[in-house]
Structure formats: C-alpha cells, structure tokens
Amino acid sequence: MIFDFEMIDSFYRQLDSRILEIRKKLKRPLTLSEKILFSHVYPQNQTRSVSRGIDYVDFMPDRVAMQDATAQMAILQFMMAGKETTAVPTSVHCDHLILAHSGAVADLKSAGIVNKEVYEFLSSACNKYDIGFWKPGAGIIHQIVLENYAFPGGMMIGTDSHTPNAGGLGMIAIGVGGADAVDVLAGMGWELKFPKIIGIKLTGKLSGWSSAKDIILKISGLLTVKGGTGNIIEYFGEGAESLSCTGKATICNMGAETGATCSIFDFDNSMTEYLSATGRKEVADLALKNKNHLSADGEVYADPAKYYDQYIEINLSELEPYINGPYTPDLATPISQMKNEVLKNKWPIEVEVGLIGSCTNSSYEDISRAASVVKDALSKKLVAKSEFTINPGSEQIRLIAERDGFLELFRKIGGEVFANACGPCIGQWTRKDSDNNKINTIIHSFNRNFAKRNDANPNTYAFVASPEIVTAIALSGQLTFNPITDTLINADGKAVQLSEPEGLNLPPDGFGSVDSGYQKPVHGQNGEEIIIATGSERLQLLSPFKEWDGEDFLSLPLLIKAKGKCTTDHISMAGFWLKYRGHLENISENYMIGAVNYFNDKTNSILNQLSGSYETVPRTARAYRDSGSGSIVAGEENFGEGSSREHAAMEPRYLGVKAVLVKSFARIHETNLKKQGVLTLTFQNEDDYNKIEESDKVDITGLSGFSAGKPLTISLTHSNGTKEKFQVNHSYNESQIEWFKAGSALNIIRKSNKKNV
Ligand code: SF4
C-alpha cells in the first residue's frame, strides 16, 4: 500500500507550474532547498523574494509525523483547537516509551502494560482525528517515515529533532515542537525563518571501513553543534550519488547534531531503487518525471560558492572512520588519532557496551556491514569482549535481518536484540550493571551522546561511531582499537586482523511482506471517543495560558543562571520523565533539574529568594509563580540545543517563568518558548551575563512598544540595592509578538477557530 498517494500525485502534478511561477518571480538560478521551500509556501501567501536567514515565511508542509512522547502534548494541544480532523496527512509512532531491558519480546509486553493508558489515548485520538497510528514494536518514527511516507521534493515536519532523516529521500523534513505541529494540523501556515543554505559537495567514493556515518561525524566536527543553526545542508556531487538512500538518511538524521534546520540530497538513482524496493515504484516514477525540479539548477553546481551561504567540499576517497565524543557529538576524532586522544584525555579505555541500530543506523546496509564484521570475527575464532546490543529501526528491518541470518550472527557473539524502538538512544535503558555512577565507556551508532542521554549515568563516557566500527570495538573491548591497523588475539592465541566490512544497500530477496504494526484510523465510523483515564498521572487535559496583561515585567526574581551547556535534556530530562510527557503538572517537576547553577556549580540547587534557602528548581519556580511575581531564567550559548522537546518550553510557562535571557538560543527551543508565550531575549553584549547576581530582581521594560527589531531594556537590582541596566535583543516578528500578547500561539488558533464556527 502506498500511503497518501493522491496527495503525492497532486503535488507532482502541480510542481511544474509552481517552479515556473517561482522562476518568474525570482529570476535567478535556484538551489534544491529553495525549489522545495518555495513550492510549499502557504497558499494564502504570495511567493516573494526573501533574504535567507532574515525573513520569516509561512509554509504548508505535506505531512506531519509525531512520536509517542511528543504526540501526547501535541494532541492535547490540538484538542484545544476544536478541529474535526487534521489538515494534512499525519502519523503517530509508538517508539520512545519502550524500556530496553530484557530483549524485544519481554520489553514490548512490559511496555504494553506500563504505557497502556498512553497508547489507548493516542490510538483513540488517532481514530478521532484520522491519524495513522503505528503501534509499539512497529518501529522508530524516522525509519517508518523513510520506508512509507517520505517522497522526493516533499516537505514535512515532525515532532522529533531527527525528522530530517527523510532528507535521504530528497524531502525537506524539519523537527519542530508540538505547538508548530498544531499549527499545521489545524491548517494554519507554519512559520519559519527562511533558512540559509550550506552546500556540501561530496567527491570521490567511500571504501573499506569508512561509511556514510563517518561523513556526518566529520561534518559535525567541522560545523560543531551550532554551526548548522538556521541552515539547510544541501549535499550534491558524484560522492553523494555513490551513497545509498539509507546512507543519505543517516547523514541527514545526524545533521540535527549541527543544529541544522534539516539536510537534503538531490533526487538520484539510489532513491528510485529504495522507493521501488519499499513498494513505492509509482512514487519513484512520478519523481523521475520531475527529476529536473528535484536538484539544484546547473548554474548552482557550476559555481556553488556563489549560490550557497557556505560551501564545503569533502573527498570521500580520503575519508577515514571517525569516533565522536565523549559528551558531545561534535568532538570528532579520526580513528587513526583516537588512541592518542584516549590516552591524552584519560578516557576509560575498556568499553563496557557496544550498541548498534536506532533510527540513525539500522538500514539493511548498516546491519549487513556490521554482521559481516561479526561473521569474519567468528571465522577467525574471536569473541566479543564488550556487551553488544541491537535496536532495529523497524519491524520490516528486524524481520529481514532475522530472515537473512544477521541477528543470529549477532546472538552468536552474545548480542541482545532489543525492541524496534528508541531504547538506549533516549535513556530508556536499564543497564545490567546497576551502579549508576560508575565511570565507564560505551560506544554506539546513535546520534547523541550528551551526559546521561543513554543511561542516566553522568559518568558514562558515550562515543558515537558507525555500526561497523562499533562492532569492531565491541569485539576488541578497547576504545583505542583501530581495525584498519590493529590485530586481535583469538581463541588459539594467534594475532588476527578483521577484514573490511561488506554489505548490501538493499535486501536481495526484497523486503517481504510483514505485519507492520500499522493501525488504519476509523475516523467517521464511531468509536471516536478520546480515552483519558480518570485520575491519570500520565495524561492531563490542558488549560489555556493567560494573556499578557499589557504591563512591563517588574521585579522578577532570578530563578537560575545556567552555566555552560544547557540542552533540552538539561531543561526537561528524558529517561524516567518520559512517562509524564502528557501531564504538564507532573513533568514540570523536572524543569531545569539537569542545568548547572552558575553560583554553586550544583544541579537542582538554587537560592529561593523568598525562603533564603537552597531548594530545587521546580519548587522555587512554583513558589515565585504562586507569590505572583513569576521569575526569569538566564543562560549561555545555544541554549536549548538538542531535542525538539516542547515540554522544555511549556514547563517554564506553567511554572510562571516570564522570560528566558541567554547569549544565544537553539532555533527550535527559541520558537517553542515563543509559542508558549515565554519572552525570549538575548544579550546585546554577552558580557552582561556576568552582571547577573544570584539575588537579583530583574525588570524588563519597553514591552508596551514591543515590536520587531526593537531592543528591550533589562534593569538589575542587586541585593545591596545597586542597579545596572543594559539592552537586550529579541528575534520576534510582528506575528510572533501577537503570540506573546495572546499568551500563546495556540490561543490565537483557538480564537480564530471559534470565530469561524
Ligand atoms: S534519535 Fe534516538 S530517540 Fe530519537 S527517534 Fe532516533 S532512535 Fe529514537
């Protein structure tokens, strides 16, 4: 079955005329990203020339995907909009809430019990609003989207930061918060600052131990975790053409680690092959007919530096495998230098666990290459020195990996196959070693390795590498092992070297037919009541946030001045807290508990100016909220990087935080805060961060004249009575200012819907 074929067919039928219209208006060569973005401008808006990185544009994406942890809050918000169905095809994927512990069968059974009320809520809401529902065990959102929904030239948003995975099939796919999803679900234009575009030309060809993963590991090091912010990364060149479609998806997936809005590849033969292999030959045929619209114009490729905002070239023939980490995905080390780095930095050498799979790296190509390493190791009488686990990306992939003998090979070296779900990638992992503070090293093929991300242990050094390198290192048990140059001692005491991995892009016997775990919605056929258990601790209906009262914010106590990296994992932790994603009051108990307090270097211990004692962040925020003052949060650079988690924005709003003032924001988090009605501000002079003291009261003035591009003023009153004043910037445009005034973007949707009824 091809999902939503009519929508895809209609898109391609109109593409020619849309591109013609864009060309008439813009009169210049176009990059691929521009072609796709301009052909998805919200229908009520005219195509116009825009300044990349400056102008905001309303878009109308073709579809929305949501994972179970974020879908709860998005649907709870959508329920407040009062609509009958979603405005565009939408899907929900049950992948994040499954705890990895005892293997796929037992873990799925236990997830069915533990998450019963959430799954019932999502399933019933999907029926009511005509949303495709992928049951627990069906697979991870991005793998399912790639296998079923993505199409070249399309545009989608997803309530997960690795939504860009679909760029491997030539789609502009952007990770957003639930509030953005609600805009699209409700048929409103979805606003985005028109991204800048980074062009990356790939030349040469991968060989040996190098893989697509190493391309993005290298690029993460080049761009760092914020170098892609506000940009689309567009790949092209003969090196790009030589990559499999799923290899491209891996690169696009992990492009999120650079902060990029999304990443995309030109339409090429690898996409045709993948679409056909996954039962969508008709889509491939339509894309082929429109091939000239599914790549940048020739002039762009002839002089890329002229047309892209930033231009990079990478020769794949010279690329060696990388290992990134620990604690950040942009600390990129070529494998030839890893030993030196490990010794120099005293990173723990012994690797306790190697983990492969996740949405990033569980294609047939990935699994077959990792399996070839295991097969070779077994033939050379080697055993794995580290624990080894596999998270298949979907039931489809798990089934063919089983059928083709790969999973059996992994089991032979003690590998454990977890459910087709996120598991250890998002902290949903109960490790066999229960010491949660032990200093140890793990290596995985996922995309993120922030502190506590995988197992909640702050002392776990997590490294990221390709599945084949993870497998080789798990066999050796040593972080310093380089399979290209080093040997291992086998059961006979002989030194042997691993052969280079081999794999196939696509399964030679096809994907086969499988009970994929899809539930077709029964919209319009009764049974449409949304189920929320009475007294639920997991789900709670929302109430609208209050409108702004028209006054400046005066005498706000400082809640916390966060020091250093403050990702959405620090702001709203995953792991244990995932279970409260549908209950704003309960999940708000994790607000900023991972952030480091500038004044004492501790987490979750801040001065409560009302009591004079050190208390937790959520408790102190509630005290300020209930006293009527509200509070303000300060932070450093790239505040809110990481997951698209809107809870990180709803929690401060719920807890009475009026403003967040930082050196810079990560894009998604800033938009999320704006949508929830929290004022987002940046220091004009970053050194003003140093002026903020622990007992400060903060005034934010100039709000009566709040307008685009006009700075606001901050006045600090220190505990000794002295005052300091400085200007702060904001990035609000006029319509975002309306969100602030209305109390949230959703308040505007609800009001306009009421008017239309
Ligand atoms: S990045 Fe990890 S947590 Fe996110 S969708 Fe992929 S597997 Fe799941």
Side-chain angles (χ1 to χ4, degrees), residues 327 348 431 435-442 451-452 455-462:
Y327 297 123
R431 283 182 70 172
D435 180 353
N436 216 24
N437 277 304
K438 182 179 169 190
I439 295 173
N440 76 105
T441 289
I442 63 172
K452 303 188 194 177
D455 63 356
N457 177 355
N459 297 318
T460 292
Y461 287 67

Side-chain angles (χ1 to χ4, degrees), residues 67 95-96 140-143 160-163 165 253 257 357-361 391-393 421-428 446-448 453-454 578 643 645:
Q67 40 98 333
D95 54 3
H96 277 58
I140 305 173
I141 174 169
H142 311 305
Q143 184 79 23
D160 188 277
S161 44
H162 293 97
T163 302
N165 190 70
N253 177 307
E257 269 39 80
S358 89
C359 68
T360 331
N361 273 106
N391 270 77
C422 304
C425 181
I426 187 74
Q428 289 281 67
F446 312 156
N447 40 36
R448 293 211 165 126
R453 164 93 180 175
N454 304 117
L578 280 173
S643 305
R645 191 162 309 166

